[in-house]
Every structure is written in C-alpha cells, then in structure tokens.
Amino acid sequence: MKKISRIISTLLAATLGCATIASCSKKDDTATAQDDYSYVTLRINPEIDLIADESGEVLSASAANDDGEVLLSMVTLEGMSIEEASVEFTETASELGYFDENGETDTVYIGVEGDEELEEKINKNIRDYFDNKGINGKVSRETLDKYADKAMEWALSKGHTKIAMRVLDAFPELTEEDVLNMTVKEWLELLKTDKHADKIAVSLQEEYRAAMDALKAEHEELFALRTQVKELIDSLKNVFTEEEKELIKAQLSLLEETLKPLEKAFHDAVAAIRAQFKEASKDARKDYRTEGENRQKEFGDKHHK
C-alpha cells in the first residue's frame, strides 16, 4: 500500500529532466527484462503459477484454484529451482491423491512462455518422476492463451500480462495504470511482500476484488486528482520557459496538499479491508491445510493396506 504513496510522491517530485521517466522506463525495462524471468503454469487439477528469476530460482508460487491452495499449503516451492519445484508439485499432487486411481493416464500440463529449453527440462524431469514411481502419466503443453486478450490490450507479452494480473489480484487497491507504470522488478518486489501466509485465499478473491472496486468508487475524487497530477507532469515535457515550469510546479504542490488527506483516508480503508480478508484467509488456509492432511492420510492409508 505504501507503493501508491511512493508513486504519487515520485510523480509530484518530478522535474523536467525526469518527468517522463515513470512511463518511458517502464516500457524499456519490461522490454529488456522479457528474457530475465520465467513464467510457468502447472496444472493437473491443482493449478499453480510460478515465477523464476534469470538463475531459475522460484521467486513466487501462487495458487490458481482451490486445489492449488491445498497443494501449496503442504509444500514451499519458493527458493527451489523451477525444475525442482515442478517435480515437487507433481510429487505432492501424487501424495495428495490427485492422480487417477483407476490406472488411467494422468497428465501434467505445463505452460512456459518463450523458453522451449526450459519447457523441455521441466517436461523431462516430470517424465522421469513418472517412470521412477511407475505412474502411468504424461506431460502435455498448456498455453497462456487465457492472457491473450489482456496482453494485446496492454501491449505486453502473455507472460508479463500474467504477472501484472497477479499484482492486480494481490493488490486490488492499485489501478491498472499504477501497475503498468511499474517495472517487472517492481512487480516482483511487490509479490515478494505478499507472502503466502498473507495472501488473500483464492476462494475469497472475487469477494475481495468487489470490496476494493466499491472502495475505489467511493474515492473517485482521489483518482481524478491522480489523473490531474499525471497530466500536469506529462505537460512538463512540452514546457520550455522557467516561468511555465514554476507555474506547473506550483499547481503540483497544491495538488499534493489536497491529495495527502485523501490518500490517507483511502489507505486506511484499504488496510481495514485487507485486514478483514487476511483474517478470513487464515481460516480458509487452515481449511486447505486440513483438507491436504486428510487427503494425504486417506491416500496413504489406501496404499498401505
């Protein structure tokens, strides 16, 4: 939530030399960072999303459905290599009984954007796991097509679109403009602060988004003033006289004073909603953990009789 204040403060403090950096550097950074991060979707029935850095270390693991929540309640994937995490995902899914018990072929769907070598490594590791465990399983390709429309709208790759949407899911108090004016590195920093124990549970996310959307509607004045700030800063690039610059800076200073109480009221309301849903998420996560332990015990009992 401090990120919003930082964005506004940065904009308000901008001078002619850096006024357009917030928008231009983001585009440059995401373009140059496109090959620095790996975006992987893994799905059986549990579905999760992984984000790894250039060294292949998993920075973020996020559930895409309730079964993904159950699985992630039983294992920590952050810090592993993305190949190790993929096998751990498969093994944990097996231990939780998500594979077909009737001997039919089980499939792990893998979605990797733009890195065929990584996709093949993950594919091979999971196939090796199946072979070693005598599981009649296979690996198939998962596409990121569900992000295609947004990717086109935002002029981003599907992988970048996925992570941007993850940020919006984790921090619905941010607007699309807020998120799209950040770099990929800033997105990942935000997701790192959104630790697993503090995340809004998948089962509550729709209700959480609705609450945040209602809150934003109540604070229309704040968002209108933010737009004015951006427009004034953008106007600086077309200003050449010191007199005009000083006039715009004076307007920005006045807007900053008007924004301060509105930002505080909004942030306080956001904090209250997040606290409410985080508490509810703790209860939901306990339920996921209990379900995972029960599944594990039930599956273990069946196979040790």
Side-chain angles (χ1 to χ4, degrees), residues 169-181:
D169 282 345
F171 299 92
E173 64 271 23
L174 295 175
T175 65
E176 285 189 8
E177 185 178 11
D178 291 332
V179 173
L180 295 178
N181 277 329

Side-chain angles (χ1 to χ4, degrees), residues 9-62:
S9 297
T10 300
L11 290 174
L12 290 169
T15 62
L16 179 61
C18 65
T20 59
I21 288 178
S23 59
C24 294
S25 68
K26 181 262 168 183
K27 289 182 174 63
D28 291 340
D29 285 349
T30 50
T32 58
Q34 189 153 349
D35 296 326
D36 291 342
Y37 302 99
S38 299
Y39 312 92
V40 177
T41 295
L42 298 171
R43 176 173 65 85
I44 301 171
N45 185 39
E47 182 177 351
I48 66 170
D49 292 323
L50 302 176
I51 300 168
D53 63 16
E54 62 274 16
S55 71
E57 179 182 335
V58 174
L59 302 175
S60 173
S62 176

